[in-house]
Amino acid sequence: FFFQAEDGIRFLVRSRGLGDVYKRQVLDGTSFEEMAALPVGSWPVGVFWNPVNNRAFVINEGSNDLHVYHGRNHGLLGIVRVGVLPSAWWWDAAANNLWVVNNGSNDLTVINCSTLAVAATVRVGSGPVELAAGPNGQYLYVSNATAGTLSKVEVAGRRVTATIPVGYRPGAMVVDSANARLWVCAEGSNQVKVLCTAGDTVITDFDPGSLPVALAWNPAAKRIYVANFFGNSVTIIRETTGLAGEPVAGPEPARFFTVVARVGSRLRLDRAGVRGPLSVHDPAGRLVARFAGTEWRTAGTGAGSYFITAGRPARPVARVVLLD
């Protein structure tokens, strides 16, 4: 881990000595000499550096606490008790609060980074492991691995406003703020779920590989990278727009519906209120077909789900499910 202290960059390295006693070695970012060895709690799992107060927060999973150090002289400023098995965290820069996920006690601890006081404890679902901030930072999403749900938590009100089913053992999450989407690894079902945060609904899912455990978002190329633990692979998913269930920008099409048909069918679409050519995409965003009239001839297209979009930017017009 690294942090930016007032007088330069510092690297904090976790090491284990005899008897499972952990310490933090502070290395100078220029010379990489050891500057200090900091005693911390049991089983430290991460460190957060607060740029407002120039403090380093060490999260200790085994001792259920946070050790807080000064970023310049490395002095211990305090120990903050949290819930059972803290595992992840998020910093609310506007309020200067640190939110900590406690896997063992099914809650979040909210810590004032200036006073080191616990400001609130928020109950969530069973087995929380990760959290991610929504597009505007007003809400947090907490993945509850045991419950198979996400808890949507209002940051200002410090309360759960929604519980969203997402599949077996949800874990890592990443947010596409530009398109108001939340991507979630459902590890136990080997899927990645995509939610529309405007309505907190699952709009599509992918089967990237065996045990997806981590996500990375490339906004420039609109790519999602999924690490598959058992598959020894990384799956790259291209993001598309205009999926069913998402809010539609601009005038609504006169009709938005789901069609179920057989492979090889000729599908006629009511184009009332829809102008221009139509495009057909698969759930990964790949272009399958284009047509300018009212009929899509599906011969040569395999069974599965497809999305028909219109206009630029693309707007959803229909979802088509083709059966063998």
Side-chain angles (χ1 to χ4, degrees), residues 166-204:
V166 289
Y168 185 45
R169 294 195 64 81
M173 294 177 287
V174 69
V175 175
D176 169 12
S177 297
N179 293 301
R181 290 177 177 174
L182 176 69
W183 297 67
V184 185
C185 283
E187 298 177 9
S189 52
N190 295 325
Q191 288 185 320
V192 171
K193 306 281 187 174
V194 187
L195 281 77
C196 172
T197 59
D200 294 324
T201 55
V202 176
I203 55 177
T204 191

Side-chain angles (χ1 to χ4, degrees), residues 48 50 53 55-60 64-68 78-83 86 88-102 108-122 131 140 155 158:
F48 160 72
N50 185 307
N53 304 110
R55 294 172 174 178
F57 291 72
V58 178
I59 293 87
N60 302 299
N64 303 322
D65 58 29
L66 277 65
H67 281 51
V68 186
I79 299 175
V80 183
R81 296 288 298 177
V82 292
W89 59 96
W90 172 75
W91 180 49
D92 178 7
N96 196 21
N97 288 334
L98 186 64
W99 293 65
V100 179
V101 174
N102 302 301
L108 305 175
T109 302
V110 186
I111 301 166
N112 185 309
C113 292
S114 297
T115 64
L116 304 185
V118 173
T121 299
V122 182
L131 76 172
L140 289 179
V155 173
R158 299 170 182 169

Side-chain angles (χ1 to χ4, degrees), residues 6 37 59 76 79 96 99 160 180 191 209 240 269 284 293 296 299 306 314:
E6 292 177 347
I59 293 87
L76 180 63
I79 299 175
N96 196 21
W99 293 65
V160 174
Q191 288 185 320
T240 186
L269 183 70
W296 174 33
Y306 300 91

Side-chain angles (χ1 to χ4, degrees), residues 244-274:
E246 292 186 306
V248 178
E252 292 270 359
R255 184 173 295 178
F256 176 64
F257 48 84
T258 296
V259 176
V260 180
R262 293 290 178 183
V263 169
S265 300
R266 293 186 177 186
L267 300 180
R268 289 189 174 274
L269 183 70
D270 182 356
R271 294 183 61 100
V274 180

Side-chain angles (χ1 to χ4, degrees), residues 272-312:
V274 180
R275 298 179 180 178
L278 301 177
S279 299
V280 182
H281 299 266
D282 66 12
R286 291 182 290 266
L287 180 65
V288 174
R290 292 184 189 276
F291 59 101
T294 60
E295 185 178 84
W296 174 33
R297 300 183 180 185
T298 67
T301 304
S305 295
Y306 300 91
F307 299 95
I308 299 179
T309 63
R312 292 184 180 275

